[in-house]
Amino acid sequence: MRLKKISIGSVLEQLRNNLKSLANNSILTENNYVSTKALGVIVRKEVADYIRSWRFLIMVFLIVLTCIGSVYTAISNMAKAVEKTHPDQLFFFLKLFTVSDGTMPSFIVFIGFLGPLLGLMLGFDAINHEQNRGTLSRLLSQPIPRDYVLNAKFLAAYFVVSALLLSLGLMVIGAGMIVLGVLPSAEEFIRILTFLVIATIYIAVWINLAIFFSVRFRQPATSALAGLAVWLFFTVFYPLILSFILKPIEPSEMASAAEIIKFEKVRLLLVQFMPNELFSQATTTLLTPSIRSIGPLTIQQVYGSIPAPLPFLQSLLIVLPQIIGLFALTLLCFVLSYISFMRKEVRSR
Amino acid sequence: MANPIIEVRDLTKIYDGKPVVDHLNLLVEEGEVFGLLGPNGAGKSTTILMLLGLTEPSEGTVTIDGINATRNPVAVKKIVGYLPEDVGFYDHMTGLENLIFTSMLNGMSRSEAEIKSFQLLKKVGLENEANKKVGKYSRGMRQRLGLADVLVKNPRVIILDEPTLGIDPSGMYEFLNLIVQLSREDKITVLFSSHHLHQVQQVCDRVAIFVKGKVIAEGNITQLSRKLFSNGNYQIEFAVVEKTNIDALRKVLENISGIKQIEQNNDFFWIESENDVTANVARTLFEKGFNLRYLNRKEYGLDEIYQRYFINA
């Protein structure tokens, strides 16, 4: 069998033609030049709207208040929390975010609890409110691609959330420095920053979910309720359902190690459908450097290991699946709202 | 038509198996004020949405200035301004801020946008309310702001969908005049949709009557009434002082060419003719010794059109 000879010249020619058509296309798009500035314009307006809105102020007030509470309990319980022999004692500062005395939840638990509410609150009326006011059709009759509206809504909400969380986190660090008189190490600082980034991704899931509902449902009240229903389902009912399912198949204390591990794996899999569980696993691991695995470890696996904290990158490696999971959820919700928004018919009111 | 700027071919939109717009064909020439007249639910708004690429047609094409509105909505929206009925603004922002926002979406810088917005507010007579929150505007002011909003992009086509809904009569009159004035000054093509026939009669050069997703007639008002009511014939009504009967009159008028039919209706007589014979009839009757008491060449206004098509529709 003879293969057709390919000369370098013909390949180059083809390449040149392809490039030429590509260049023509770009000229074409230049004619239909779309102002990318428009995206920035919308984002800026949305951010301004958020910051001035009452509900945002109320939410910020609640979050700041609870954070002060949790940091206060953390600081007053610091002495008890730091055991001399524990490897985590090197990471004194991270305790600020994780310690509680049982009466008041810790900072990460609070963010895990209030973050979804913040996200839902920012997104639940993003599209339908504009539509009900008749501004959506006016916005869409401007020469901007349709997805700019959706992108801008998300970006604005995400920007607001990131700014809020970052400043909160930094304030907690500052308070810790003043009250405890200890400076955070570089690694602690990186861990805290990573924690904050993960928190924003976690909240982005809820923002996108809320935006999706706001595209689907005409009434803001309906979309808000739908969002809250999903949130309640995952925080209250899903764990309940899980315990119903898992109770009967739970191995007895006499069961073999293999059986217990199998059960634990199933449990872990089912639990990880909850975005809040993904978040708490990721953040707890990051802020507690001594955690070596999220699932069960056998004695053989632990045997011989020095009870020392993991380096930052190793901790990050452990929770990488969780982070990717959160990211994928965000993307999924965004894609859903994108699909339903792009082909939506927009009437004036 | 020499230079159609809006070209609609076989446009169809089907909702739940029922055609709302049914194989619509329309040509609108550059610079004219074109009226889409039809009862509620005739498919006017749906047609307009398709013109702007805000919804996809089930069939057919729309081109505006040679650009396909479905394929390339962004390019179309650069030259087409759209004012929906009851236009929405951000109530917490002032009129000026709302306009600046629109200007910046059209690619202007902040300073350009401020200058342009203020100019436009002046043009529509809102310069004194520029810094008032739109939430406090009256309905008429909102519509005028809407017009300014449409003019931001220096459009070549303006599409107005029931723009006078809910404005009081004097405000409406002003608003319509403003539109006509703009169209004449800047050679802007205006597509005006309404179920209010008097407004359409007042401002539009040409009208398409739209019923159940179809255009049943198109043209200016006189053309329309002839086309719709008398198969292109003229109709004359008259009465004379003398007592007479239809046969006598038939004899008198038989020499006038073009008359197709003469009928009696109590004291009134009614002629249908191929051409305008009004003057001829008057002269002939006078010469034969009749004294005219009443003579009227019947012009059907939009009222009759409305009666016939909208109420029955």
Side-chain angles (χ1 to χ4, degrees):
Chain A
M1 202 174 106
R2 270 175 60 146
L3 284 172
K4 201 178 155 194
K5 236 187 186 171
I6 300 172
S7 72
I8 293 176
S10 75
V11 170
L12 278 182
E13 177 132 6
Q14 234 167 28
L15 198 65
R16 204 176 304 130
N17 284 339
N18 284 347
L19 283 177
K20 216 182 270 172
S21 66
L22 207 65
N24 284 339
N25 258 335
S26 70
I27 290 166
L28 232 174
T29 46
E30 202 168 297
N31 277 342
N32 302 327
Y33 170 72
V34 181
S35 166
T36 42
K37 278 189 297 181
L39 185 64
V41 173
I42 309 178
V43 170
R44 216 170 305 147
K45 181 199 146 281
E46 290 300 325
V47 170
D49 283 357
Y50 278 137
I51 291 173
R52 286 183 203 145
S53 69
W54 270 106
R55 54 181 165 154
F56 181 71
L57 293 182
I58 292 169
M59 205 69 210
V60 167
F61 177 72
L62 276 181
I63 288 179
V64 168
L65 215 61
T66 47
C67 284
I68 290 173
S70 60
V71 169
Y72 177 77
T73 40
I75 287 174
S76 45
N77 288 293
M78 206 55 122
K80 269 180 269 170
V82 182
E83 300 161 43
K84 288 219 174 63
T85 52
H86 200 272
D88 277 343
Q89 61 154 316
L90 292 168
F91 295 91
F92 188 65
F93 230 84
L94 298 181
K95 296 266 178 212
L96 267 179
F97 293 86
T98 52
V99 161
S100 88
D101 62 350
T103 52
M104 189 92 174
S106 65
F107 188 88
I108 47 171
V109 173
F110 258 123
I111 294 295
F113 183 74
L114 286 178
L117 282 184
L118 181 69
L120 289 175
M121 182 220 80
L122 288 173
F124 79 94
D125 65 350
I127 301 295
N128 50 18
H129 188 220
E130 293 248 9
Q131 190 164 12
N132 291 339
R133 276 189 304 183
T135 46
L136 188 61
S137 73
R138 199 168 61 87
L139 201 55
L140 289 183
S141 61
Q142 304 306 327
I144 50 167
R146 200 178 249 225
D147 57 338
Y148 273 23
V149 177
L150 207 59
N151 298 349
K153 291 277 178 191
F154 169 69
L155 284 177
Y158 188 71
F159 179 77
V160 168
V161 164
S162 316
L164 179 67
L165 280 184
L166 192 68
S167 43
L168 262 182
L170 292 180
M171 275 197 285
V172 170
I173 294 178
M177 278 158 58
I178 293 170
V179 176
L180 300 173
V182 184
L183 292 180
S185 69
E187 187 174 340
E188 280 171 318
F189 189 68
I190 291 171
R191 277 176 188 271
I192 291 168
L193 273 189
T194 319
F195 153 69
L196 292 174
V197 169
I198 294 172
T200 61
I201 298 175
Y202 173 57
I203 295 175
V205 175
W206 296 95
I207 293 173
N208 276 321
L209 186 75
I211 289 179
F212 171 62
F213 285 137
S214 85
V215 175
R216 284 320 299 250
F217 299 119
R218 189 66 194 262
Q219 296 303 326
T222 316
S223 61
L225 266 178
L228 282 178
V230 173
W231 176 68
L232 268 181
F233 175 77
F234 278 123
T235 44
V236 179
F237 297 113
Y238 190 72
L240 221 64
I241 294 169
L242 267 193
S243 69
F244 277 135
I245 298 172
L246 291 175
K247 261 278 158 52
I249 58 166
E250 198 175 335
S252 69
E253 280 179 36
M254 305 301 174
S256 68
E259 249 176 84
I260 292 175
I261 285 181
K262 205 169 147 198
F263 171 76
E264 274 301 312
K265 274 189 176 160
V266 171
R267 197 190 62 83
L268 204 64
L269 179 78
L270 290 176
V271 157
Q272 279 171 340
F273 279 105
M274 292 189 280
N276 37 350
E277 183 63 25
L278 287 181
F279 171 71
S280 80
Q281 285 176 0
T283 49
T284 317
T285 310
L286 268 178
L287 294 182
T288 321
S290 59
I291 293 180
R292 296 188 159 230
S293 164
I294 284 166
L297 281 177
T298 58
I299 307 249
Q300 286 91 330
Q301 279 171 308
V302 186
Y303 181 75
S305 70
I306 306 156
L310 290 179
F312 166 68
L313 280 178
Q314 292 301 314
S315 291
L316 194 63
L317 211 58
I318 292 176
V319 296
L320 205 57
Q322 275 75 8
I323 296 174
I324 291 171
L326 282 176
F327 198 75
L329 270 178
T330 312
L331 222 56
L332 180 74
C333 292
F334 188 72
V335 165
L336 283 179
S337 43
Y338 199 88
I339 292 170
S340 53
F341 182 68
M342 289 309 273
R343 307 202 62 174
K344 191 182 173 71
E345 181 181 284
V346 178
R347 295 204 167 248
S348 59
R349 229 171 239 215
Chain B
M1 204 169 290
N3 189 15
I5 188 156
I6 302 177
E7 233 181 308
V8 176
R9 296 224 175 276
D10 278 328
L11 193 67
T12 305
K13 179 75 183 180
I14 295 171
Y15 285 118
D16 305 325
K18 276 186 205 151
V20 175
V21 177
D22 194 359
H23 292 92
L24 176 73
N25 286 293
L26 264 189
L27 292 174
V28 179
E29 199 161 354
E30 182 147 26
E32 74 177 333
V33 181
F34 189 89
L36 265 186
L37 186 61
N40 293 331
K44 289 172 297 184
S45 295
T46 310
T47 306
I48 286 173
L49 290 186
M50 287 190 280
L51 285 177
L52 284 159
L54 287 179
T55 184
E56 284 174 53
S58 311
E59 230 180 272
T61 54
V62 176
T63 48
I64 294 182
D65 198 27
I67 306 164
N68 186 320
T70 317
R71 294 274 175 76
N72 206 345
V74 176
V76 162
K77 285 172 199 162
K78 263 185 202 171
I79 54 166
V80 180
Y82 168 51
L83 180 63
E85 59 175 308
D86 192 11
V87 58
F89 285 99
Y90 297 110
D91 287 344
H92 61 280
M93 286 158 61
T94 67
L96 188 64
E97 281 168 352
N98 266 296
L99 280 193
I100 290 174
F101 180 59
T102 309
S103 312
M104 289 176 76
L105 285 183
N106 279 282
M108 290 183 210
S109 73
R110 175 91 199 176
S111 51
E112 281 172 337
E114 273 170 29
I115 295 166
K116 178 89 183 171
S117 303
F118 201 74
Q119 276 175 355
L120 285 172
L121 281 176
K122 234 182 216 165
K123 203 165 189 168
V124 298
L126 285 175
E127 68 266 34
N128 294 326
E129 338 295 325
N131 292 315
K132 212 159 126 185
K133 295 243 159 84
V134 176
K136 300 221 163 75
Y137 275 29
S138 71
R139 191 72 179 262
M141 281 154 72
R142 270 166 175 271
Q143 283 313 91
R144 272 188 285 163
L145 184 62
L147 199 58
D149 188 70
V150 160
L151 293 172
V152 155
K153 57 178 95 164
N154 297 321
R156 296 183 53 201
V157 180
I158 300 180
I159 297 179
L160 305 159
D161 191 2
E162 306 270 8
T164 52
L165 224 61
I167 309 182
D168 59 70
S170 72
M172 207 162 68
Y173 183 74
E174 261 176 57
F175 187 76
L176 291 176
N177 274 346
L178 195 59
I179 292 171
V180 175
Q181 186 198 334
L182 285 171
S183 155
R184 302 279 178 265
E185 273 173 14
D186 303 333
K187 286 248 176 291
I188 300 174
T189 313
V190 179
L191 186 74
F192 182 96
S193 133
S194 178
H195 61 258
H196 241 277
L197 40 117
H198 291 289
Q199 294 170 14
V200 171
Q201 198 165 18
Q202 207 175 338
V203 296
C204 293
D205 301 325
R206 251 163 20 99
V207 176
I209 295 181
F210 212 78
V211 176
K212 288 184 180 162
K214 283 184 176 159
V215 167
I216 52 174
E218 194 186 324
N220 60 38
I221 304 288
T222 8
Q223 284 171 348
L224 272 183
S225 65
R226 296 234 332 263
K227 209 185 303 177
L228 289 172
F229 287 95
S230 41
N231 309 317
N233 292 336
Y234 286 84
Q235 294 178 345
I236 300 163
E237 221 178 1
F238 70 91
V240 291
V241 179
E242 289 77 16
K243 279 242 178 282
T244 181
N245 60 39
I246 183 97
D247 293 324
L249 280 174
R250 281 208 175 119
K251 208 166 250 173
V252 168
L253 295 174
E254 69 187 349
N255 292 333
I256 302 173
S257 66
I259 291 187
K260 288 169 99 178
Q261 212 180 348
I262 303 176
E263 302 274 337
Q264 184 173 14
N265 181 13
N266 296 332
D267 283 348
F268 290 93
F269 298 92
W270 182 79
I271 298 174
E272 192 172 320
S273 63
E274 278 170 358
N275 40 27
D276 189 358
V277 294
T278 321
N280 229 338
V281 166
R283 193 178 342 103
T284 315
L285 285 172
F286 181 73
E287 281 167 2
K288 302 283 180 188
F290 289 99
N291 287 307
L292 271 175
R293 186 160 64 84
Y294 174 85
L295 178 69
N296 178 30
R297 193 182 81 205
K298 200 123 173 101
E299 286 254 32
Y300 282 99
L302 284 166
D303 275 319
E304 279 82 0
I305 301 176
Y306 191 80
Q307 285 290 332
R308 181 145 163 193
Y309 286 97
F310 293 8
I311 292 174
N312 297 341

